Short mmCIF file of all heavy atoms in Angstrom, two decimals:
data_model
loop_
_atom_site.label_atom_id
_atom_site.label_comp_id
_atom_site.label_asym_id
_atom_site.label_seq_id
_atom_site.Cartn_x
_atom_site.Cartn_y
_atom_site.Cartn_z
N MET F 23 -80.85 -26.40 -56.21
CA MET F 23 -81.07 -27.84 -55.96
C MET F 23 -82.31 -28.26 -56.73
O MET F 23 -83.28 -27.54 -56.73
CB MET F 23 -81.28 -28.11 -54.47
CG MET F 23 -80.00 -28.07 -53.66
SD MET F 23 -80.22 -28.68 -51.99
CE MET F 23 -81.22 -27.41 -51.26
N GLY F 24 -82.24 -29.47 -57.33
CA GLY F 24 -83.41 -29.98 -58.00
C GLY F 24 -84.22 -30.85 -57.06
O GLY F 24 -83.88 -30.92 -55.86
N ILE F 25 -85.22 -31.43 -57.57
CA ILE F 25 -86.02 -32.34 -56.72
C ILE F 25 -85.62 -33.80 -57.00
O ILE F 25 -84.90 -34.10 -57.99
CB ILE F 25 -87.52 -32.14 -56.94
CG1 ILE F 25 -87.91 -32.60 -58.30
CG2 ILE F 25 -87.95 -30.70 -56.66
CD1 ILE F 25 -89.34 -33.03 -58.41
N TYR F 26 -86.11 -34.65 -56.13
CA TYR F 26 -85.76 -36.08 -56.30
C TYR F 26 -87.01 -36.90 -56.64
O TYR F 26 -88.11 -36.49 -56.33
CB TYR F 26 -85.14 -36.57 -55.03
CG TYR F 26 -83.65 -36.20 -54.87
CD1 TYR F 26 -83.30 -34.87 -54.67
CD2 TYR F 26 -82.65 -37.14 -55.02
CE1 TYR F 26 -81.96 -34.48 -54.62
CE2 TYR F 26 -81.31 -36.73 -54.97
CZ TYR F 26 -80.97 -35.44 -54.74
OH TYR F 26 -79.69 -35.05 -54.73
N LYS F 27 -86.75 -38.04 -57.24
CA LYS F 27 -87.87 -38.96 -57.57
C LYS F 27 -87.62 -40.37 -57.12
O LYS F 27 -86.44 -40.70 -56.85
CB LYS F 27 -88.10 -38.95 -59.15
CG LYS F 27 -88.46 -37.57 -59.70
CD LYS F 27 -88.77 -37.66 -61.16
CE LYS F 27 -90.17 -38.17 -61.42
NZ LYS F 27 -90.53 -38.10 -62.82
N ILE F 28 -88.63 -41.15 -57.05
CA ILE F 28 -88.47 -42.56 -56.65
C ILE F 28 -88.82 -43.48 -57.82
O ILE F 28 -89.93 -43.35 -58.42
CB ILE F 28 -89.38 -42.92 -55.42
CG1 ILE F 28 -88.92 -42.07 -54.23
CG2 ILE F 28 -89.36 -44.39 -55.13
CD1 ILE F 28 -89.81 -42.20 -52.99
N ALA F 29 -87.96 -44.39 -58.14
CA ALA F 29 -88.26 -45.33 -59.23
C ALA F 29 -89.17 -46.40 -58.75
O ALA F 29 -88.87 -47.14 -57.82
CB ALA F 29 -86.90 -45.96 -59.70
N MET F 30 -90.37 -46.40 -59.35
CA MET F 30 -91.42 -47.30 -58.92
C MET F 30 -91.05 -48.78 -58.97
O MET F 30 -91.46 -49.62 -58.19
CB MET F 30 -92.68 -47.09 -59.73
CG MET F 30 -93.43 -45.79 -59.42
SD MET F 30 -94.11 -45.78 -57.82
CE MET F 30 -93.59 -44.19 -57.19
N ASP F 31 -90.18 -49.13 -59.98
CA ASP F 31 -89.79 -50.50 -60.16
C ASP F 31 -88.79 -50.98 -59.09
O ASP F 31 -88.61 -52.17 -58.90
CB ASP F 31 -89.24 -50.76 -61.57
CG ASP F 31 -88.03 -49.91 -61.86
OD1 ASP F 31 -87.94 -48.80 -61.31
OD2 ASP F 31 -87.17 -50.32 -62.66
N LYS F 32 -88.23 -50.02 -58.39
CA LYS F 32 -87.27 -50.42 -57.34
C LYS F 32 -87.87 -50.28 -55.93
O LYS F 32 -87.41 -51.00 -54.98
CB LYS F 32 -86.04 -49.55 -57.41
CG LYS F 32 -85.18 -49.79 -58.67
CD LYS F 32 -83.90 -48.96 -58.62
CE LYS F 32 -83.03 -49.27 -59.83
NZ LYS F 32 -81.87 -48.38 -59.88
N CYS F 33 -88.83 -49.39 -55.76
CA CYS F 33 -89.47 -49.16 -54.43
C CYS F 33 -90.25 -50.41 -54.02
O CYS F 33 -91.06 -50.92 -54.81
CB CYS F 33 -90.36 -47.95 -54.55
SG CYS F 33 -91.28 -47.61 -52.98
N ASP F 34 -90.03 -50.88 -52.76
CA ASP F 34 -90.78 -52.01 -52.30
C ASP F 34 -91.91 -51.62 -51.36
O ASP F 34 -92.61 -52.47 -50.82
CB ASP F 34 -89.84 -53.05 -51.63
CG ASP F 34 -89.20 -52.51 -50.37
OD1 ASP F 34 -89.39 -51.34 -49.99
OD2 ASP F 34 -88.48 -53.30 -49.74
N GLY F 35 -92.08 -50.34 -51.10
CA GLY F 35 -93.22 -49.82 -50.31
C GLY F 35 -93.17 -50.28 -48.88
O GLY F 35 -94.22 -50.36 -48.20
N SER F 36 -92.01 -50.50 -48.37
CA SER F 36 -91.88 -51.06 -47.00
C SER F 36 -92.44 -50.02 -45.96
O SER F 36 -92.19 -48.86 -46.02
CB SER F 36 -90.39 -51.28 -46.68
OG SER F 36 -90.26 -51.52 -45.29
N PRO F 37 -93.18 -50.57 -44.97
CA PRO F 37 -93.67 -49.70 -43.89
C PRO F 37 -92.53 -49.18 -43.01
O PRO F 37 -92.70 -48.22 -42.28
CB PRO F 37 -94.62 -50.59 -43.12
CG PRO F 37 -94.20 -51.97 -43.45
CD PRO F 37 -93.64 -51.93 -44.85
N TYR F 38 -91.33 -49.77 -43.19
CA TYR F 38 -90.16 -49.36 -42.36
C TYR F 38 -89.23 -48.51 -43.20
O TYR F 38 -88.06 -48.30 -42.79
CB TYR F 38 -89.43 -50.57 -41.87
CG TYR F 38 -90.33 -51.53 -41.14
CD1 TYR F 38 -90.68 -52.75 -41.70
CD2 TYR F 38 -90.86 -51.22 -39.87
CE1 TYR F 38 -91.53 -53.64 -41.06
CE2 TYR F 38 -91.75 -52.07 -39.23
CZ TYR F 38 -92.06 -53.29 -39.81
OH TYR F 38 -92.88 -54.15 -39.19
N CYS F 39 -89.71 -47.99 -44.28
CA CYS F 39 -88.87 -47.25 -45.23
C CYS F 39 -88.12 -46.08 -44.55
O CYS F 39 -88.73 -45.16 -44.00
CB CYS F 39 -89.73 -46.70 -46.33
SG CYS F 39 -88.80 -45.69 -47.53
N PRO F 40 -86.79 -46.13 -44.62
CA PRO F 40 -85.98 -45.00 -44.03
C PRO F 40 -86.12 -43.72 -44.83
O PRO F 40 -85.82 -42.65 -44.28
CB PRO F 40 -84.57 -45.57 -44.05
CG PRO F 40 -84.53 -46.58 -45.16
CD PRO F 40 -85.93 -47.17 -45.16
N VAL F 41 -86.50 -43.80 -46.09
CA VAL F 41 -86.62 -42.63 -46.91
C VAL F 41 -87.81 -41.71 -46.35
O VAL F 41 -87.64 -40.51 -46.30
CB VAL F 41 -86.93 -43.01 -48.36
CG1 VAL F 41 -87.30 -41.79 -49.21
CG2 VAL F 41 -85.75 -43.74 -48.97
N VAL F 42 -88.85 -42.35 -45.92
CA VAL F 42 -89.95 -41.61 -45.37
C VAL F 42 -89.51 -40.89 -44.06
O VAL F 42 -89.83 -39.74 -43.85
CB VAL F 42 -91.18 -42.58 -45.03
CG1 VAL F 42 -92.29 -41.82 -44.34
CG2 VAL F 42 -91.66 -43.19 -46.33
N ARG F 43 -88.79 -41.60 -43.25
CA ARG F 43 -88.37 -41.10 -41.97
C ARG F 43 -87.37 -39.97 -42.06
O ARG F 43 -87.35 -39.04 -41.27
CB ARG F 43 -87.89 -42.22 -41.02
CG ARG F 43 -89.05 -42.99 -40.42
CD ARG F 43 -88.54 -44.06 -39.49
NE ARG F 43 -88.23 -45.30 -40.18
CZ ARG F 43 -87.05 -45.93 -40.08
NH1 ARG F 43 -86.13 -45.51 -39.27
NH2 ARG F 43 -86.85 -47.05 -40.73
N VAL F 44 -86.47 -40.05 -43.00
CA VAL F 44 -85.36 -39.08 -43.07
C VAL F 44 -85.78 -37.72 -43.68
O VAL F 44 -85.17 -36.74 -43.45
CB VAL F 44 -84.15 -39.66 -43.94
CG1 VAL F 44 -84.45 -39.51 -45.44
CG2 VAL F 44 -82.88 -38.97 -43.60
N CYS F 45 -86.94 -37.73 -44.37
CA CYS F 45 -87.35 -36.49 -45.05
C CYS F 45 -87.98 -35.50 -44.03
O CYS F 45 -89.06 -35.74 -43.53
CB CYS F 45 -88.38 -36.78 -46.12
SG CYS F 45 -88.92 -35.29 -46.98
N GLU F 46 -87.27 -34.40 -43.83
CA GLU F 46 -87.71 -33.42 -42.89
C GLU F 46 -88.91 -32.60 -43.42
O GLU F 46 -89.59 -31.93 -42.66
CB GLU F 46 -86.54 -32.49 -42.55
CG GLU F 46 -85.44 -33.22 -41.80
CD GLU F 46 -84.15 -32.39 -41.72
OE1 GLU F 46 -84.16 -31.18 -42.00
OE2 GLU F 46 -83.09 -32.97 -41.38
N ALA F 47 -89.11 -32.64 -44.74
CA ALA F 47 -90.22 -31.90 -45.33
C ALA F 47 -91.48 -32.72 -45.44
O ALA F 47 -92.50 -32.21 -45.94
CB ALA F 47 -89.78 -31.41 -46.69
N GLN F 48 -91.45 -33.95 -45.00
CA GLN F 48 -92.61 -34.89 -45.20
C GLN F 48 -93.07 -34.93 -46.66
O GLN F 48 -94.27 -34.91 -46.90
CB GLN F 48 -93.77 -34.52 -44.29
CG GLN F 48 -93.63 -34.98 -42.85
CD GLN F 48 -92.93 -33.94 -41.95
OE1 GLN F 48 -93.34 -32.81 -41.99
NE2 GLN F 48 -91.92 -34.33 -41.24
N ALA F 49 -92.12 -34.96 -47.57
CA ALA F 49 -92.44 -34.94 -48.97
C ALA F 49 -92.72 -36.35 -49.52
O ALA F 49 -93.18 -36.49 -50.65
CB ALA F 49 -91.32 -34.30 -49.75
N VAL F 50 -92.35 -37.41 -48.79
CA VAL F 50 -92.52 -38.75 -49.28
C VAL F 50 -93.85 -39.31 -48.85
O VAL F 50 -94.14 -39.40 -47.68
CB VAL F 50 -91.34 -39.68 -48.75
CG1 VAL F 50 -91.43 -41.04 -49.34
CG2 VAL F 50 -90.00 -39.02 -48.94
N GLU F 51 -94.66 -39.62 -49.83
CA GLU F 51 -96.03 -40.00 -49.60
C GLU F 51 -96.36 -41.37 -50.16
O GLU F 51 -95.87 -41.72 -51.28
CB GLU F 51 -97.00 -38.99 -50.28
CG GLU F 51 -96.75 -37.59 -49.82
CD GLU F 51 -97.48 -36.52 -50.66
OE1 GLU F 51 -97.94 -36.87 -51.78
OE2 GLU F 51 -97.62 -35.41 -50.15
N PRO F 52 -97.15 -42.16 -49.47
CA PRO F 52 -97.57 -43.42 -50.04
C PRO F 52 -98.54 -43.27 -51.23
O PRO F 52 -99.30 -42.32 -51.33
CB PRO F 52 -98.32 -44.12 -48.82
CG PRO F 52 -98.77 -43.00 -48.00
CD PRO F 52 -97.77 -41.87 -48.18
N THR F 53 -98.47 -44.25 -52.13
CA THR F 53 -99.39 -44.21 -53.26
C THR F 53 -99.69 -45.64 -53.69
O THR F 53 -98.88 -46.52 -53.54
CB THR F 53 -98.75 -43.39 -54.44
OG1 THR F 53 -99.70 -43.31 -55.49
CG2 THR F 53 -97.47 -44.05 -54.96
N GLN F 54 -100.88 -45.84 -54.28
CA GLN F 54 -101.23 -47.17 -54.80
C GLN F 54 -100.90 -47.22 -56.27
O GLN F 54 -101.31 -46.29 -56.97
CB GLN F 54 -102.79 -47.37 -54.60
CG GLN F 54 -103.21 -47.37 -53.16
CD GLN F 54 -103.21 -48.74 -52.55
OE1 GLN F 54 -103.16 -49.72 -53.27
NE2 GLN F 54 -103.25 -48.83 -51.22
N VAL F 55 -100.25 -48.23 -56.69
CA VAL F 55 -99.98 -48.43 -58.11
C VAL F 55 -100.48 -49.80 -58.54
O VAL F 55 -100.49 -50.75 -57.76
CB VAL F 55 -98.48 -48.25 -58.46
CG1 VAL F 55 -98.01 -46.88 -58.09
CG2 VAL F 55 -97.66 -49.30 -57.76
N VAL F 56 -100.81 -49.94 -59.82
CA VAL F 56 -101.23 -51.23 -60.36
C VAL F 56 -100.01 -52.17 -60.32
O VAL F 56 -98.91 -51.77 -60.71
CB VAL F 56 -101.74 -51.08 -61.82
CG1 VAL F 56 -102.12 -52.42 -62.37
CG2 VAL F 56 -102.94 -50.11 -61.85
N SER F 57 -100.24 -53.34 -59.83
CA SER F 57 -99.14 -54.29 -59.69
C SER F 57 -98.59 -54.68 -61.12
O SER F 57 -99.27 -54.51 -62.10
CB SER F 57 -99.58 -55.56 -58.97
OG SER F 57 -100.51 -56.28 -59.73
N GLU F 58 -97.36 -55.17 -61.13
CA GLU F 58 -96.68 -55.47 -62.41
C GLU F 58 -97.50 -56.53 -63.21
O GLU F 58 -97.51 -56.48 -64.45
CB GLU F 58 -95.28 -55.96 -62.18
CG GLU F 58 -94.34 -54.88 -61.77
CD GLU F 58 -93.00 -55.35 -61.27
OE1 GLU F 58 -92.61 -56.45 -61.61
OE2 GLU F 58 -92.33 -54.58 -60.55
N ALA F 59 -98.18 -57.39 -62.58
CA ALA F 59 -98.93 -58.40 -63.24
C ALA F 59 -100.31 -57.83 -63.75
O ALA F 59 -101.02 -58.54 -64.44
CB ALA F 59 -99.18 -59.63 -62.38
N GLY F 60 -100.60 -56.59 -63.39
CA GLY F 60 -101.84 -55.98 -63.74
C GLY F 60 -103.01 -56.44 -62.92
O GLY F 60 -104.15 -56.17 -63.22
N LEU F 61 -102.72 -57.18 -61.81
CA LEU F 61 -103.77 -57.70 -60.99
C LEU F 61 -103.66 -57.02 -59.62
O LEU F 61 -102.68 -57.21 -58.90
CB LEU F 61 -103.64 -59.21 -60.78
CG LEU F 61 -103.66 -60.03 -62.09
CD1 LEU F 61 -103.23 -61.47 -61.82
CD2 LEU F 61 -105.03 -60.01 -62.72
N GLY F 62 -104.64 -56.19 -59.29
CA GLY F 62 -104.65 -55.59 -57.99
C GLY F 62 -103.64 -54.40 -57.93
O GLY F 62 -103.09 -53.97 -58.92
N PHE F 63 -103.43 -53.95 -56.71
CA PHE F 63 -102.58 -52.78 -56.45
C PHE F 63 -101.49 -53.15 -55.44
O PHE F 63 -101.67 -54.03 -54.63
CB PHE F 63 -103.44 -51.62 -55.94
CG PHE F 63 -104.43 -51.10 -56.91
CD1 PHE F 63 -105.70 -51.71 -57.02
CD2 PHE F 63 -104.13 -50.05 -57.75
CE1 PHE F 63 -106.62 -51.26 -57.94
CE2 PHE F 63 -105.07 -49.60 -58.67
CZ PHE F 63 -106.30 -50.23 -58.78
N SER F 64 -100.44 -52.37 -55.49
CA SER F 64 -99.40 -52.48 -54.47
C SER F 64 -99.06 -51.07 -53.94
O SER F 64 -99.29 -50.12 -54.65
CB SER F 64 -98.20 -53.25 -54.99
OG SER F 64 -97.66 -52.55 -56.07
N MET F 65 -98.52 -51.05 -52.76
CA MET F 65 -98.14 -49.76 -52.17
C MET F 65 -96.72 -49.39 -52.53
O MET F 65 -95.85 -50.21 -52.46
CB MET F 65 -98.29 -49.91 -50.65
CG MET F 65 -98.96 -48.74 -49.97
SD MET F 65 -97.86 -47.32 -49.85
CE MET F 65 -96.64 -47.97 -48.68
N LYS F 66 -96.53 -48.16 -52.93
CA LYS F 66 -95.18 -47.60 -53.20
C LYS F 66 -95.13 -46.23 -52.56
O LYS F 66 -96.14 -45.73 -52.04
CB LYS F 66 -94.98 -47.45 -54.73
CG LYS F 66 -95.20 -48.75 -55.52
CD LYS F 66 -94.01 -49.56 -55.57
CE LYS F 66 -94.21 -50.82 -56.48
NZ LYS F 66 -93.03 -51.63 -56.56
N TYR F 67 -93.97 -45.59 -52.67
CA TYR F 67 -93.81 -44.24 -52.21
C TYR F 67 -93.48 -43.34 -53.40
O TYR F 67 -92.89 -43.74 -54.38
CB TYR F 67 -92.73 -44.13 -51.22
CG TYR F 67 -93.04 -44.82 -49.89
CD1 TYR F 67 -92.47 -46.01 -49.56
CD2 TYR F 67 -93.98 -44.23 -49.01
CE1 TYR F 67 -92.80 -46.67 -48.38
CE2 TYR F 67 -94.29 -44.88 -47.80
CZ TYR F 67 -93.72 -46.07 -47.54
OH TYR F 67 -94.02 -46.72 -46.35
N GLN F 68 -93.98 -42.06 -53.30
CA GLN F 68 -93.59 -41.08 -54.27
C GLN F 68 -93.21 -39.80 -53.58
O GLN F 68 -93.58 -39.60 -52.41
CB GLN F 68 -94.76 -40.83 -55.25
CG GLN F 68 -95.97 -40.25 -54.61
CD GLN F 68 -97.15 -40.06 -55.57
OE1 GLN F 68 -97.00 -40.40 -56.77
NE2 GLN F 68 -98.24 -39.56 -55.11
N ILE F 69 -92.45 -38.96 -54.22
CA ILE F 69 -92.03 -37.68 -53.65
C ILE F 69 -92.91 -36.56 -54.22
O ILE F 69 -93.00 -36.42 -55.43
CB ILE F 69 -90.56 -37.46 -53.92
CG1 ILE F 69 -89.72 -38.48 -53.13
CG2 ILE F 69 -90.16 -36.00 -53.48
CD1 ILE F 69 -88.22 -38.46 -53.46
N ASN F 70 -93.50 -35.82 -53.31
CA ASN F 70 -94.32 -34.66 -53.74
C ASN F 70 -93.42 -33.55 -54.14
O ASN F 70 -92.71 -32.95 -53.32
CB ASN F 70 -95.18 -34.26 -52.55
CG ASN F 70 -96.15 -33.16 -52.89
OD1 ASN F 70 -95.92 -32.36 -53.84
ND2 ASN F 70 -97.26 -33.06 -52.19
N ARG F 71 -93.41 -33.30 -55.42
CA ARG F 71 -92.47 -32.27 -56.02
C ARG F 71 -92.78 -30.87 -55.48
O ARG F 71 -91.89 -29.99 -55.61
CB ARG F 71 -92.47 -32.35 -57.55
CG ARG F 71 -93.81 -32.01 -58.14
CD ARG F 71 -93.80 -32.15 -59.70
NE ARG F 71 -92.77 -31.26 -60.24
CZ ARG F 71 -91.77 -31.65 -61.00
NH1 ARG F 71 -91.67 -32.91 -61.31
NH2 ARG F 71 -90.94 -30.78 -61.50
N ASN F 72 -93.92 -30.65 -55.04
CA ASN F 72 -94.28 -29.32 -54.50
C ASN F 72 -93.75 -29.09 -53.10
O ASN F 72 -93.75 -27.98 -52.61
CB ASN F 72 -95.76 -29.09 -54.50
CG ASN F 72 -96.34 -29.15 -55.94
OD1 ASN F 72 -95.78 -28.59 -56.85
ND2 ASN F 72 -97.46 -29.81 -56.12
N VAL F 73 -93.34 -30.18 -52.46
CA VAL F 73 -92.88 -30.07 -51.08
C VAL F 73 -91.38 -30.38 -50.97
O VAL F 73 -90.70 -29.84 -50.09
CB VAL F 73 -93.68 -31.09 -50.20
CG1 VAL F 73 -93.21 -31.06 -48.76
CG2 VAL F 73 -95.18 -30.82 -50.31
N CYS F 74 -90.82 -31.19 -51.86
CA CYS F 74 -89.42 -31.58 -51.81
C CYS F 74 -88.50 -30.34 -51.82
O CYS F 74 -88.68 -29.44 -52.64
CB CYS F 74 -89.11 -32.49 -53.02
SG CYS F 74 -87.37 -32.96 -53.11
N LEU F 75 -87.52 -30.44 -50.95
CA LEU F 75 -86.51 -29.30 -50.83
C LEU F 75 -85.28 -29.60 -51.63
O LEU F 75 -84.44 -28.72 -51.76
CB LEU F 75 -86.15 -29.15 -49.33
CG LEU F 75 -87.27 -28.95 -48.38
CD1 LEU F 75 -86.77 -29.01 -46.95
CD2 LEU F 75 -87.92 -27.58 -48.61
N GLY F 76 -85.14 -30.81 -52.17
CA GLY F 76 -83.98 -31.14 -52.94
C GLY F 76 -82.71 -31.35 -52.13
O GLY F 76 -81.62 -31.27 -52.67
N CYS F 77 -82.86 -31.68 -50.89
CA CYS F 77 -81.66 -31.86 -50.03
C CYS F 77 -80.88 -33.12 -50.35
O CYS F 77 -79.69 -33.21 -50.06
CB CYS F 77 -82.09 -31.86 -48.57
SG CYS F 77 -83.04 -33.32 -48.06
N GLY F 78 -81.55 -34.17 -50.87
CA GLY F 78 -80.88 -35.38 -51.27
C GLY F 78 -80.65 -36.42 -50.17
O GLY F 78 -80.05 -37.46 -50.38
N LYS F 79 -81.11 -36.14 -48.94
CA LYS F 79 -80.96 -37.10 -47.83
C LYS F 79 -81.54 -38.44 -48.13
O LYS F 79 -81.07 -39.49 -47.73
CB LYS F 79 -81.49 -36.49 -46.54
CG LYS F 79 -80.69 -35.33 -45.99
CD LYS F 79 -81.33 -34.74 -44.74
CE LYS F 79 -80.55 -33.55 -44.22
NZ LYS F 79 -81.25 -32.90 -43.11
N CYS F 80 -82.70 -38.40 -48.75
CA CYS F 80 -83.46 -39.59 -49.05
C CYS F 80 -82.67 -40.56 -49.96
O CYS F 80 -82.65 -41.77 -49.76
CB CYS F 80 -84.80 -39.28 -49.70
SG CYS F 80 -84.61 -38.12 -51.08
N ALA F 81 -81.96 -40.01 -50.93
CA ALA F 81 -81.18 -40.83 -51.84
C ALA F 81 -80.04 -41.53 -51.10
O ALA F 81 -79.62 -42.65 -51.53
CB ALA F 81 -80.61 -39.97 -52.95
N LEU F 82 -79.56 -40.95 -50.02
CA LEU F 82 -78.42 -41.55 -49.26
C LEU F 82 -78.88 -42.78 -48.43
O LEU F 82 -78.07 -43.62 -48.09
CB LEU F 82 -77.80 -40.53 -48.38
CG LEU F 82 -77.18 -39.31 -49.09
CD1 LEU F 82 -76.65 -38.32 -48.04
CD2 LEU F 82 -76.04 -39.80 -49.97
N VAL F 83 -80.15 -42.83 -48.04
CA VAL F 83 -80.61 -43.86 -47.08
C VAL F 83 -81.44 -44.98 -47.71
O VAL F 83 -81.67 -46.00 -47.07
CB VAL F 83 -81.35 -43.26 -45.89
CG1 VAL F 83 -80.48 -42.23 -45.13
CG2 VAL F 83 -82.65 -42.62 -46.34
N CYS F 84 -81.87 -44.82 -48.98
CA CYS F 84 -82.68 -45.86 -49.55
C CYS F 84 -81.88 -47.15 -49.73
O CYS F 84 -80.86 -47.16 -50.49
CB CYS F 84 -83.25 -45.40 -50.91
SG CYS F 84 -84.26 -46.68 -51.69
N PRO F 85 -82.29 -48.24 -49.12
CA PRO F 85 -81.49 -49.49 -49.25
C PRO F 85 -81.60 -50.13 -50.63
O PRO F 85 -80.83 -51.01 -50.93
CB PRO F 85 -82.12 -50.38 -48.15
CG PRO F 85 -83.53 -49.86 -48.02
CD PRO F 85 -83.43 -48.38 -48.25
N ARG F 86 -82.57 -49.67 -51.48
CA ARG F 86 -82.77 -50.24 -52.77
C ARG F 86 -82.28 -49.31 -53.89
O ARG F 86 -82.52 -49.55 -55.08
CB ARG F 86 -84.22 -50.61 -52.98
CG ARG F 86 -84.66 -51.70 -51.96
CD ARG F 86 -86.18 -51.91 -52.04
NE ARG F 86 -86.58 -52.47 -53.31
CZ ARG F 86 -86.60 -53.76 -53.61
NH1 ARG F 86 -86.22 -54.63 -52.74
NH2 ARG F 86 -86.97 -54.19 -54.80
N GLN F 87 -81.64 -48.22 -53.48
CA GLN F 87 -81.19 -47.20 -54.48
C GLN F 87 -82.28 -46.80 -55.45
O GLN F 87 -82.10 -46.68 -56.68
CB GLN F 87 -79.97 -47.73 -55.31
CG GLN F 87 -78.68 -47.80 -54.47
CD GLN F 87 -78.54 -49.04 -53.61
OE1 GLN F 87 -78.80 -50.16 -54.10
NE2 GLN F 87 -78.26 -48.86 -52.35
N ALA F 88 -83.47 -46.58 -54.92
CA ALA F 88 -84.63 -46.25 -55.72
C ALA F 88 -84.82 -44.75 -55.93
O ALA F 88 -85.59 -44.33 -56.76
CB ALA F 88 -85.89 -46.81 -55.09
N VAL F 89 -84.07 -43.95 -55.15
CA VAL F 89 -84.22 -42.50 -55.22
C VAL F 89 -83.16 -41.88 -56.10
O VAL F 89 -81.99 -42.21 -55.94
CB VAL F 89 -84.20 -41.89 -53.81
CG1 VAL F 89 -84.57 -40.41 -53.88
CG2 VAL F 89 -85.16 -42.60 -52.86
N TYR F 90 -83.55 -41.02 -56.96
CA TYR F 90 -82.58 -40.39 -57.86
C TYR F 90 -82.97 -38.90 -58.14
O TYR F 90 -84.17 -38.56 -58.03
CB TYR F 90 -82.50 -41.14 -59.24
CG TYR F 90 -83.81 -41.18 -59.97
CD1 TYR F 90 -84.07 -40.28 -60.98
CD2 TYR F 90 -84.80 -42.12 -59.67
CE1 TYR F 90 -85.28 -40.30 -61.68
CE2 TYR F 90 -86.00 -42.18 -60.33
CZ TYR F 90 -86.20 -41.22 -61.38
OH TYR F 90 -87.40 -41.27 -62.03
N PRO F 91 -81.98 -38.09 -58.44
CA PRO F 91 -82.31 -36.68 -58.73
C PRO F 91 -82.99 -36.55 -60.11
O PRO F 91 -82.55 -37.24 -61.03
CB PRO F 91 -80.91 -35.96 -58.74
CG PRO F 91 -79.96 -37.05 -58.93
CD PRO F 91 -80.56 -38.35 -58.45
N GLU F 92 -83.97 -35.70 -60.22
CA GLU F 92 -84.64 -35.48 -61.43
C GLU F 92 -83.80 -34.58 -62.37
O GLU F 92 -83.26 -33.62 -61.91
CB GLU F 92 -86.03 -34.85 -61.22
CG GLU F 92 -86.86 -34.67 -62.47
CD GLU F 92 -88.14 -33.98 -62.18
OE1 GLU F 92 -88.13 -32.79 -61.86
OE2 GLU F 92 -89.19 -34.65 -62.28
N GLY F 93 -83.74 -34.91 -63.62
CA GLY F 93 -83.07 -34.07 -64.59
C GLY F 93 -81.52 -34.27 -64.55
O GLY F 93 -80.97 -35.03 -63.86
S1 SF4 D 106 -84.64 -34.53 -51.40
FE1 SF4 D 106 -84.88 -34.01 -49.17
S2 SF4 D 106 -86.85 -32.89 -49.09
FE2 SF4 D 106 -86.80 -34.00 -51.06
S3 SF4 D 106 -87.91 -35.95 -50.65
FE3 SF4 D 106 -85.67 -36.29 -50.35
S4 SF4 D 106 -85.29 -35.99 -48.10
FE4 SF4 D 106 -87.32 -35.05 -48.65
#
């Protein structure tokens, strides 16, 4: 199994994100990224590749189809 990644342009950083809750490995972590306009920061999620088990559950529940398998 490979690991999964989150497309930053699709992630809305919702505090109710089901991707965070479904991950049994707690691999989904919040991160600050520069906003698209280059002004300030916005909250997104990323997957810690050192923790991800590659189970793929996160990709099934993301309402924005932001999660995809790497490679
Ligand atoms: S593939 Fe599985 S272990 Fe990896 S981030 Fe998604 S839910 Fe968590």
